[in-house]
Amino acid sequence: MLKYFFTVFAFLGLIVLAMAGFRGAKSTRPPIEIFPDMDRQPKVKAQTPSGFFANGSAARPPVDGSVPLGYTMPQQKPVDGEADASPYKKIIFSGAPDYTDTGKMGENWGTGLPFDVTPAVVGRGQERYGIYCAVCHGATGAGNGIAKQLGVATVQSLLQERIRVMSDGEIFNTITHGKNTMLGYGDRIQVPDRWAIIAYVRALQKSQGGATLSDVPEAGRAKLEAGQ
Amino acid sequence: MANFFPKWTNQLPWKLVVCLGVLGASVTAGITYYFTPKYTRVGYQPTQPVPFSHALHVQQLGMDCRYCHSFVEVASHSNVPSVQTCMSCHTQVKADSPRLTAVRAAWNGGKADGPPVNWVRIHQVPDYVYFNHAAHVNRGVSCYSCHGAVNEMAVVYQHQPQSMSWCLDCHRAPENNLRPPGEIYNMNWKAESPEQQREMGLKFKEEWDVNPPVSCGGCHR
């Protein structure tokens, strides 16, 4: 009798295993929620769909001229001087018409950074450049990033003379809105980070041709000369 | 008196006990093994509307997670990229590829007002749980600890159960997962040994004063 029992038992066990498989097996079936409790509440969370709007997305584009709530308001932006103390603590995307936000002084592109350039700012710029620009413009700015090699053919070198003499404001505008075949990054890179990237691009340009000993701070000169 | 119970019934009681015991044990084992997020969630790998590959974009092109998941450091929600992010390259790379049809439809020739790409969501905590990406990645927890080796996935799947006990296991011993700040987004980084990881983790925990919530109000607020 036990024999029959164990035969049937082993058989059933195999069937369960064959149907249910093992932990971690790949499956395209959504996870079962046996007791839905309040797992999915009818509220709008970030990047969720909605049947209410025509294009099926719950997110709405902001109305022109609106200022995002919870973000730093244009007039509260760090002004010169206090900027390098905490330029990155707040999330800053603003559409204010001043130089910091547009790169324009009156009708023309302005030049110079709206806050002091410190090693921390250039370091931040280096990190951001690595994330957002290096895939196309290459780690050294020579315009030889991997995406260029794989098909983004129009990528330009940031070391060419035209960009060396280009005003900071115009580069700021290129990062924000893009230019020709380069699309903008204004929706993802915060305003102070865009300026930090420009500081780093300038450092790249200087370090690859055009840098003289007088560009090195006093303290570093002796070290450089000793090394050579 | 006639023999009311035949001889074989003498064996019946203990045979029944054995059968029921085995049955009970295996049902318990089956439930522990199957009725858990470790089985129901791990390995969930839906078919996406665009066959986007992290293995290609992250591992081969060397892109940083933040190029696409751009707000993971500053927001609680880790965003899935906008169509403009993809089109930065795909206006020129594989511009006519049939695999990118849905992306091009959303892009709509630069107006970005087409039907959105309906990425199927994989990782999701219930709506009564408060989870914050920025609070984790800025405190030394790598994407790798919670999402696995995404850089090697041609199609993303869920790698961790993301159940309450999973959250708590780490909150009680974060030192097993804390990394040096420069390596959070480096999916190939590994500590030399578990001991070294623990030692380093304890040091960071001490220095940064890492103190994850373990009381109910921390996550159910």
Side-chain angles (χ1 to χ4, degrees), chain B residues 110-185:
Chain B
K111 294 198 287 291
D113 60 357
V117 182
N118 282 321
W119 300 112
V120 183
R121 186 152 181 185
I122 306 154
H123 302 83
Q124 205 167 6
V125 292
D127 285 355
Y128 51 75
V129 176
Y130 168 81
F131 179 78
N132 189 332
H133 270 95
H136 288 90
V137 294
N138 293 338
R139 298 287 273 169
V141 185
S142 167
C143 320
Y144 182 88
S145 302
C146 301
H147 294 299
V150 177
N151 58 334
E152 285 160 13
M153 297 181 191
V155 182
V156 187
Y157 57 87
Q158 182 150 351
H159 190 268
Q160 296 290 335
Q162 300 200 339
S163 59
M164 181 162 142
S165 70
W166 174 78
C167 305
L168 284 170
D169 282 347
C170 177
H171 279 202
R172 293 198 177 115
E175 60 271 15
N176 297 332
N177 288 289
L178 297 183
R179 291 185 174 200
E183 308 293 348
I184 308 283
Y185 303 93

Side-chain angles (χ1 to χ4, degrees), chain A residues 58-70:
Chain A
R60 300 284 88 203
V63 179
D64 274 349
S66 52
V67 178
L69 245 184

Side-chain angles (χ1 to χ4, degrees), chain A residues 14 21 25 59 70-71 86 117 139 143 166 175 184 194 221 225:
Chain A
L14 276 180
Y71 284 54
S86 66
V117 181
M166 187 180 276
I175 300 178
R194 285 175 230 163
R221 278 184 212 169
E225 277 168 337

Side-chain angles (χ1 to χ4, degrees), chain B residues 18-166:
Chain B
V18 168
C19 291
L20 285 178
V22 168
L23 211 62
S26 49
V27 168
T28 316
I31 288 180
T32 350
Y33 188 77
Y34 286 125
F35 286 33
T36 153
K38 286 183 191 141
Y39 169 75
T40 56
R41 289 188 196 152
V42 176
Y44 176 40
Q45 186 180 39
T47 316
Q48 300 288 352
V50 177
F52 173 80
S53 161
H54 280 80
L56 171 71
H57 290 85
V58 178
Q59 195 73 336
Q60 288 188 39
L61 302 185
M63 294 174 79
D64 191 289
C65 309
R66 290 165 288 179
Y67 184 95
C68 292
H69 303 291
S70 38
F71 300 113
V72 67
E73 303 172 282
V74 291
S76 68
H77 177 75
S78 168
N79 62 305
V80 168
S82 65
V83 58
Q84 180 168 334
T85 312
C86 309
M87 291 314 271
S88 297
C89 290
H90 286 292
T91 43
Q92 294 187 48
V93 183
K94 300 262 177 196
D96 308 311
S97 169
R99 298 179 175 186
L100 286 159
T101 315
V103 176
R104 278 195 304 272
W107 182 237
N108 199 8
K111 294 198 287 291
D113 60 357
V117 182
N118 282 321
W119 300 112
V120 183
R121 186 152 181 185
I122 306 154
H123 302 83
Q124 205 167 6
V125 292
D127 285 355
Y128 51 75
V129 176
Y130 168 81
F131 179 78
N132 189 332
H133 270 95
H136 288 90
V137 294
N138 293 338
R139 298 287 273 169
V141 185
S142 167
C143 320
Y144 182 88
S145 302
C146 301
H147 294 299
V150 177
N151 58 334
E152 285 160 13
M153 297 181 191
V155 182
V156 187
Y157 57 87
Q158 182 150 351
H159 190 268
Q160 296 290 335
Q162 300 200 339
S163 59
M164 181 162 142
S165 70
W166 174 78

